[in-house]
Amino acid sequence: MQRTYKTGTRTGRQSRPMSTEPVRFDTKIAVLLRADLEPWQRLNVTAFLVSGLGVTVPEVVGEPYEDAGGVAYLPMFRQPVLVFEGTKETLRAAHGRALSRALPRAVFTADLFTTGNDRDNRAAVRAVPTADLDLVGLAVYGPRGGVDKVLKGARMHP
């Protein structure tokens, strides 16, 4: 059964009315996960992969949030993060395409599940040649069409 939720007219404090028109972004934030990861690994890898985007590509971050009580919250991405999955081979091919397009990217390798801090994480990646990275996750940002080409062969995460 499919449910459709509609938002009624809001009254009270609201800085500007919410638009009913869908926003279509020219860019895409995407995470590609290896399909054989455990559920906790998928969540952990996704969080780690997108964590660097806001610092490196500041235009992906929106304005800070505030609730009606005046409590401030941190800003978040201004657009959705799309999560995909694929085989080890799909991930390796996507990584190569992201490199060839010089798109901003982040990698998570299987070795990072055995480290416990940022310094050791960076050392684990640095110790392995590019072609030999045991990739379990890749985040990529860029023009929508370019990111779509990088993700060729991947499917939306269930």
Side-chain angles (χ1 to χ4, degrees), residues 23-89:
V23 175
R24 186 156 168 95
F25 294 95
D26 294 333
T27 58
K28 185 178 275 189
I29 300 171
V31 172
L32 175 56
L33 302 171
R34 204 165 73 191
D36 63 351
L37 295 179
E38 294 292 326
W40 73 267
Q41 292 173 316
R42 291 171 185 253
L43 296 170
N44 185 266
V45 170
T46 300
F48 268 95
L49 286 171
V50 298
S51 68
L53 270 176
V55 174
T56 307
V57 188
E59 65 267 21
V60 300
V61 179
E63 297 295 320
Y65 285 72
E66 182 178 314
D67 66 25
V71 176
Y73 301 95
L74 295 173
M76 295 187 281
F77 291 133
R78 64 180 184 90
Q79 66 189 87
V81 175
L82 303 173
V83 182
F84 297 82
E85 69 174 9
T87 64
K88 186 174 189 170
E89 295 76 21

